[in-house]
Amino acid sequence: MNSQHKKLAVLTSGGDAPGMNAALRSIVRVGVGHGLEIIAIRRGFKGLLLDEFMPLGPRDVSNIIQRGGTIIKTARSEEFKTPAGLQKAKENLERNKIEGLILIGGDGTFRGGGELAKVWPGQIIGVPGTIDNDVWGTAFTIGFDTAVNTAMEGIDKIRDTAESHERFFLVEVMGRHSGFIALEVGIASGAEEILMPEQRFEIREICDRLCRGRARGKASSIMVVAEGQETGGAMRIAKEMQRLSQIESRVVILGHLQRGGQPTAKDRVLATKLGAHAVEMFIRGAGQIMVGEVGGQLCTTPLEETWTKRKELDPFLLTLHPLLSS
Ligand code: F6P
C-alpha cells in the first residue's frame, strides 16, 4: 500500500506514564520510515481543541527513549467530551488533513477516542500507556513496570526503618480504580497486607492478622493500600486501626512519584513494539482499535472493549499472597 505523505497524528492523554516517549519515538521513526508525515498534537485532547499541531521528524525524538513523562505534554480535558468540543476536534483534524490518530493513554483516553469516532471518520488507534495497567486487551500497559519498580524501591527503604523501629507501615500506591500496582508491588516487596478496590476487607480482621503476626515474631509489617480502595485510602485505614485495636502505624503516600522517572527496559521495549504496531495497523487501514501484547504476541482489540471489558487481577497471585505473608 502506498502510504507516502499520509498524515498520521499522535497525542498523549490522561496521566503520563514512563515509556510514553519511547512509544512516540517508535511511532515517528517507523512512520517516517514508511513515508508517513507524523504530526504531534501537544497537550492531548486539550491541544486538539486549541489546534496545537506540530510535525515531528526522526531528529525531534532523539534522546527521549530514556526519559520519563511525555515531551508532547498531556492533559485531561472536560471540554473535549462536549458536543461542541468534539465538533471542534473534528474540524481541526480535517483542516490539518489528518487521516489517522494514535492515542497514547488509558481507558479514559480511549473512551474519548470512541466519542471522536462518532463524528470524525479517520482511523483511531490506541496505544495503552498508563501506570495503572487496568486496560483490557493487553497484558501490560506502558509505564506499569516502571511504576511498580519505583514503588518497590520506596517500600524496600521503608522496610528498613519499619524493621528498626518495629513498626506497622501503610504505603499507599496509585490505582484509582484498580489494584494492579498494589498487587504487583505488594508481592514484589513481601508486603504482609495488600488492599485493593477489587477485594472487600474488614479492618478489624486485618488488625487481628497483624497482631497475630506480631505474636509469631514479626517485628514489622507493611500494608500496601491502593488509593482507589473504597475504605478511603491509607490515612483513614490507619486511623481506624488505631481506633479499633490501638495499633500505631505510620503512613506513606507514594503518589505522583510513581508516575515519573526513567522507564525500565521492559517498558521501553513494550512501548517501542506497540508504537510500531500502531503505525503498521494504520498503514493496513485499521481503525477504532487498540494495539496490545498478550501472551508475548502483538494483537489488536476493538477500541470499545478497552473500557467496556474489565481486566482481572492475576488469580494465582491473589491466592498465593496469604501463604507468602504468613
Ligand atoms: O491513571 C493514572 C493515575 O496516576 C492514577 O493511578 C491516579 O489515580 C491518577 O492518575 C491521578 O491523576 P492526577 O495526576 O490527575 O491527579
Side-chain angles (χ1 to χ4, degrees):
M1 177 182 292
N2 183 11
S3 49
Q4 295 290 314
H5 307 308
K6 275 185 149 194
K7 281 192 184 179
L8 174 60
V10 54
L11 60 79
T12 49
S13 169
D16 60 349
M20 281 183 162
N21 283 328
L24 183 68
R25 171 181 177 271
S26 175
I27 290 163
V28 171
R29 297 220 169 140
V30 173
V32 170
H34 283 292
L36 300 173
E37 266 185 68
I38 305 295
I39 312 291
I41 302 172
R42 283 163 57 83
R43 302 194 173 81
F45 291 130
K46 199 170 168 186
L48 176 52
L49 300 187
L50 295 169
D51 206 14
E52 294 195 48
F53 290 58
M54 177 180 83
L56 282 186
R59 292 286 69 75
D60 296 318
V61 291
S62 297
N63 287 319
I64 65 166
I65 195 167
Q66 77 282 15
R67 284 170 59 185
T70 159
I71 62 159
I72 57 172
K73 317 282 185 207
T74 185
R76 302 192 197 272
S77 171
E78 286 306 312
E79 189 193 348
F80 171 75
K81 298 175 196 158
T82 65
L86 290 166
Q87 193 54 34
K88 181 93 191 132
K90 168 190 152 81
E91 285 164 18
N92 287 346
L93 287 164
E94 284 176 352
R95 199 179 44 261
N96 286 281
K97 301 196 167 32
I98 303 297
E99 292 178 54
L101 174 61
I102 297 181
L103 305 173
I104 309 177
D107 59 344
T109 299
F110 301 149
R111 203 184 277 256
E115 289 302 308
L116 182 61
K118 291 179 188 162
V119 298
W120 179 63
Q123 296 161 246
I124 299 178
I125 301 172
V127 171
T130 164
I131 64 165
D132 294 346
N133 198 31
D134 57 345
V135 180
W136 175 264
T138 189
F140 297 106
T141 54
I142 298 164
F144 173 66
D145 186 62
T146 307
V148 167
N149 277 284
T150 302
M152 183 190 71
E153 282 171 26
I155 294 176
D156 286 350
K157 292 186 169 83
I158 292 164
R159 179 79 74 180
D160 289 344
T161 177
E163 193 71 7
S164 306
H165 285 264
E166 301 180 286
R167 270 176 175 155
F168 295 116
F169 267 82
L170 288 90
V171 184
E172 189 176 293
V173 296
M174 274 190 163
R176 201 165 10 201
H177 307 295
S178 71
F180 285 95
I181 297 178
L183 180 59
E184 195 87 355
V185 79
I187 295 290
S189 59
E192 277 68 23
E193 298 286 337
I194 308 175
L195 307 186
M196 298 156 280
E198 291 86 347
Q199 288 194 319
R200 295 197 67 79
F201 60 88
E202 290 293 331
I203 295 183
R204 194 178 285 282
E205 283 173 20
I206 292 168
C207 293
D208 291 347
R209 276 201 299 273
L210 290 172
C211 292
R212 285 199 298 273
R214 192 136 276 195
R216 287 197 309 277
K218 274 184 183 275
S220 66
S221 289
I222 303 277
M223 292 174 60
V224 172
V225 183
E227 64 172 339
Q229 65 71 41
E230 64 184 28
T231 322
M235 281 295 198
R236 252 204 67 199
I237 295 172
K239 281 197 188 119
E240 269 303 280
M241 284 169 49
Q242 172 81 48
R243 190 180 69 81
L244 292 171
S245 304
Q246 288 74 53
I247 290 181
E248 196 198 322
S249 60
R250 294 288 185 272
V251 175
V252 176
I253 297 175
L254 293 179
H256 289 77
L257 194 87
Q258 296 156 93
R259 288 241 295 261
Q262 292 194 320
T264 59
K266 194 172 163 187
D267 272 332
R268 295 181 200 192
V269 174
L270 177 68
T272 301
K273 284 160 89 175
L274 295 184
H277 197 46
V279 172
E280 280 157 12
M281 284 297 132
F282 169 71
I283 292 169
R284 283 193 224 163
Q288 285 53 273
I289 53 154
M290 183 197 80
V291 295
E293 190 180 54
V294 176
Q297 300 295 316
L298 291 170
C299 57
T300 61
T301 301
L303 199 59
E304 198 181 326
E305 289 186 10
T306 64
W307 70 87
T308 52
K309 293 193 173 178
R310 191 169 167 83
K311 188 159 87 182
E312 299 296 327
L313 295 170
D314 183 339
F316 183 55
L317 286 185
L318 289 173
T319 50
L320 204 53
H321 179 250
L323 298 171
L324 295 173
S325 60
S326 62

